[in-house]
Amino acid sequence: MATYGLTPGHDFLRDAARSCFAALYASPRMHIDTPLSTRLEWAPALRFSLRGRINVFVEPSDDGPFPRVLAMRYADVSNYPEPIAVYSVCHAKAIASPKGQRDLNRLKQLGFGLVTVDPSGKPTVLFAGVPLVQVISEDEFKHQISGLPRGIRQRARECFDDYRSKPLNGVKSLSELLEGMIRKAGRDAVARLVITTGESKAPLAQLLDRLHEHFTSARAAIGGARKYIKECRNPAHHWSPTKKGEYRKYRHCRHHFLEGLQTIQSFRQAMKNSGLSGNVASA
């Protein structure tokens, strides 16, 4: 197992973070320099559990916001079959330099949290860490929505913001965006005298059936939309009883969110190819 010696200020930063998280989370049991598993080959400076379901690792860094161990163990932690959120802790002055800002942005991109500590020992959570299994990078998100019109991109961005704070909510809001696109397709089909106004206002499954009947070249995309709405419209909100179950929940949310973006792309293109607008209905 790799080992890392204490750096100057290590205890100062760790203890400040410890008091910070104790105040935030009602003094959970803290583990110091104790590995969660030998499989990870990492004994974080501080470790605790949230609600018994999410492991939180905290690593001080006296030479900048991005400790070397975070890059070294990122893949291992992301693939470990329990949800793990990771925080870096650094001196407040460390984020003032251009390199510090680059490291700060890199932490955000990868889903790590950051706590800064001023000279008096006062800690500040600049942004929260999230279970790494749920992380979708900004670059990946932008790639997935490329080519969509501005209105849909804006709505997708709102869904992405929901996802990053609460993945289940993000998946649900993305399914609602797709529903709005289906409703718009129904209205467009009415304007083309393909279906009636009453049919366009029918329950979503019936509307999809009518679109499937009339737009034969778009049937694959319509079928994909039907499947996504059925599976993801009302994602389960109950807490999983185990860490492994919680891990599966986050992993499925990530899969469903990316699948939703792909479904939106396919459905829009199919509607455009069928002579409809491919846009989303206004509220």
Side-chain angles (χ1 to χ4, degrees), residues 136-169:
I136 297 172
S137 72
E138 180 72 20
D139 289 344
E140 185 172 11
F141 171 71
K142 287 181 177 179
H143 173 74
Q144 293 286 348
I145 64 171
S146 63
L148 292 172
R150 180 180 180 184
I152 296 179
R153 290 201 314 273
Q154 288 175 336
R155 292 278 298 274
R157 167 62 65 178
E158 293 169 2
C159 298
F160 188 47
D161 290 343
D162 287 344
Y163 174 85
R164 288 194 289 191
S165 59
K166 292 186 177 180
L168 286 169
N169 289 353

Side-chain angles (χ1 to χ4, degrees), residues 267-278:
F267 186 79
R268 169 177 161 73
Q269 190 59 55
M271 294 302 98
K272 291 280 288 180
N273 293 343
S274 299
L276 305 184
S277 69

Side-chain angles (χ1 to χ4, degrees), residues 21-169:
F21 290 117
L24 284 174
Y25 300 119
S27 298
R29 182 184 178 189
M30 303 278 189
H31 304 270
I32 295 176
D33 296 325
T34 306
L36 176 67
S37 167
T38 55
R39 172 177 166 180
L40 291 175
E41 296 188 352
W42 180 12
L46 190 66
R47 175 174 64 81
F48 61 95
S49 178
L50 288 180
R51 302 185 304 275
R53 295 179 177 88
I54 299 175
N55 303 297
V56 179
F57 288 8
V58 182
E59 195 66 40
S61 176
D62 196 47
D63 59 356
F66 205 104
R68 183 168 60 110
V69 68
L70 268 58
M72 294 173 62
R73 299 296 175 224
Y74 182 78
D76 292 340
V77 170
S78 299
N79 293 314
Y80 188 75
E82 293 181 11
I84 299 175
V86 181
Y87 283 81
S88 170
V89 188
C90 71
H91 296 285
K93 64 182 181 182
I95 65 172
S97 68
K99 180 182 183 302
Q101 285 296 304
R102 290 194 298 272
D103 285 348
L104 182 151
N105 290 330
R106 186 182 177 201
L107 288 170
K108 285 183 178 179
Q109 278 280 323
L110 294 175
F112 297 124
L114 178 62
V115 177
T116 59
V117 183
D118 72 12
S120 71
K122 179 182 177 181
T124 300
V125 179
L126 288 195
F127 46 87
V130 299
L132 298 186
V133 65
Q134 85 174 50
V135 173
I136 297 172
S137 72
E138 180 72 20
D139 289 344
E140 185 172 11
F141 171 71
K142 287 181 177 179
H143 173 74
Q144 293 286 348
I145 64 171
S146 63
L148 292 172
R150 180 180 180 184
I152 296 179
R153 290 201 314 273
Q154 288 175 336
R155 292 278 298 274
R157 167 62 65 178
E158 293 169 2
C159 298
F160 188 47
D161 290 343
D162 287 344
Y163 174 85
R164 288 194 289 191
S165 59
K166 292 186 177 180
L168 286 169
N169 289 353

